[in-house]
Every structure is written in structure tokens, then in C-alpha cells.
Amino acid sequence: VRETLDRKGVLLVVPEGMDATWSIDHMGLKDSHRDEVAFVDQVLEKTRQTFPVDDSRVYVSGFSLGASLVYTLACQRADVFAAAAPMSGGFWLPIPAQCAGPEIPLCHIHGRNDITWPFEGGRVLQQGDEEGTHAAVEDDVAFWREHNACGDSSVERQTDVLTCQVWDDCAGESEVGLCTHDGGHERFDGWAERELEWMLRFSR
């Protein structure tokens, strides 16, 4: 992954949440209500102070609960990120009624046989009797299609690993993609290169 990023001149910043987890709205942990968006804002500011950052090309990606954080950031900080690439995670119910930010290119990657974050969504027992519910992936994608004001038509793109449905007739030169693979809750070989190739097409 690092070699790929170096070749493209991309700086990788990997923040870690407290206790190696993230606090996401509606995930069902009563004692976990940290402001992760403010934390990411601080990480970005520190990064800008340390490295030469092109603010028109800042991207966000995450896996599993990290993908839920990506959804939150895409919803609340679309003016900061040029594109978002969540993998194997998404919204917890209820899905927001709307996002305050502008449209944002987003490509969701998910395994069809994921039993940790099922494609069709479902309830999750967190601790004791505390529960949250994963939204269905297709409902997540429908939300972003509406947010980005995408048309109804889509195109299908097939690679050796992924089957992608892409809505590219959206506002502000954005698009929404849903890419699936036959695996489970895992990263597939070549995932970083695929995500990077897609994200670098966009700038703010």
C-alpha cells in the first residue's frame, strides 16, 4: 500500500480512535459519545501544519466501523473531502434525513457474504443489552444517490474482483458507486490501488 501511495505522491494519515474504536451515532453504546468529527478536524489541522497539503485533494476511506466514520464525515464535512470510499460498513439506523454538506463522490465497497456487517443490514448486540442496527447497504447507497441528486440510470462495470453499479449523472460532477465482491468482511487483494485510482479522479 505504501509503495503505491509513494508513487502517486499521496500522504497516508491513519488516525486511531480511543480504545481502537470509533464512536458513531446510533451504534448502541450508551457511554460512547465522543465527537469524532472534531477529532478528525484536529488531525487534519495538525497534518496541514506538518506537511504541504493540497486542500483540493483530501480523501477519506475506512473499513468496517471506520467506514461508518467515513459516512459521518461525508455527511458533515463534504466541503473538506474530495471523495469518500467506505468499505464494509455504513450508516447505523436511523439513516439521517439529510446531510448539511454539498454533494460528494462516494464509492461503497462491500462483500456479498459479509456476516459481520451483512449486506442486508441487521441488529448488532454490542455490550450486555445495548444494541444498534446496521442499515442495509442498498439503503445506504440510495441515500447518497438522493443526496447527490443522481439520475435513475446507472452503468455496470466489471473487474476481476468487483462488480460495480455506478450512477454518474449526479450534481456537481459527483457520482455514487456500489462495488461488491464475493468475499466477506475483508479487504481484497489490490483494494488500496483500486480505491486510490477511483478517488484521484476527483478534486474540490
Side-chain angles (χ1 to χ4, degrees):
V1 174
R2 185 168 296 175
E3 291 179 358
T4 300
L5 295 170
D6 288 345
R7 286 198 306 271
K8 298 288 187 179
V10 175
L11 172 68
L12 177 65
V13 179
V14 187
E16 183 172 331
M18 186 179 297
D19 298 324
T21 190
W22 298 109
S23 177
I24 307 297
D25 287 345
H26 312 300
M27 65 182 286
L29 294 179
K30 298 183 180 67
D31 60 349
S32 179
H33 296 286
R34 302 188 301 271
D35 189 343
E36 306 291 26
V37 174
F39 170 67
V40 172
D41 288 342
Q42 293 171 5
V43 170
L44 288 173
E45 183 57 32
K46 182 65 173 179
T47 303
R48 293 187 183 98
Q49 294 171 7
T50 310
F51 300 97
V53 175
D54 181 352
D55 282 330
S56 70
R57 290 185 173 275
V58 179
Y59 309 95
V60 61
S61 179
F63 177 79
S64 193
L65 194 56
S68 289
L69 179 59
V70 170
Y71 264 59
T72 300
L73 293 169
C75 196
Q76 298 185 31
R77 292 291 187 270
D79 58 333
V80 172
F81 297 102
M87 182 186 298
S88 303
F91 281 131
W92 295 72
L93 294 180
I95 291 176
Q98 60 184 7
C99 290
E103 62 276 352
I104 179 172
L106 184 140
C107 182
H108 184 123
I109 301 173
H110 216 101
R112 289 281 183 180
N113 295 304
D114 191 334
I115 60 174
T116 301
W117 199 296
F119 194 84
E120 65 276 11
R123 296 190 68 78
V124 179
L125 182 65
Q126 296 281 22
Q127 292 179 359
D129 61 351
E130 297 176 1
E131 293 184 351
T133 304
H134 296 155
V137 172
E138 290 182 343
D139 291 340
D140 282 339
V141 172
F143 172 89
W144 291 110
R145 287 173 53 200
E146 181 175 354
H147 175 74
N148 285 355
C150 299
D152 293 332
S153 61
S154 64
V155 295
E156 186 170 302
R157 298 170 184 167
Q158 181 77 46
T159 72
D160 55 333
V161 178
L162 296 172
T163 299
C164 299
Q165 189 174 9
V166 180
W167 292 264
D168 55 9
D169 180 18
C170 307
E173 299 183 355
S174 66
E175 68 177 46
V176 174
L178 171 59
C179 293
T180 61
H181 56 86
D182 293 332
H185 197 68
E186 60 192 341
R187 299 177 180 90
F188 56 90
D189 289 342
W191 66 271
E193 291 80 2
R194 302 290 177 83
E195 283 195 354
L196 188 60
E197 180 183 7
W198 176 80
M199 287 190 292
L200 290 178
R201 294 171 45 216
F202 303 98
S203 62
R204 286 195 306 109

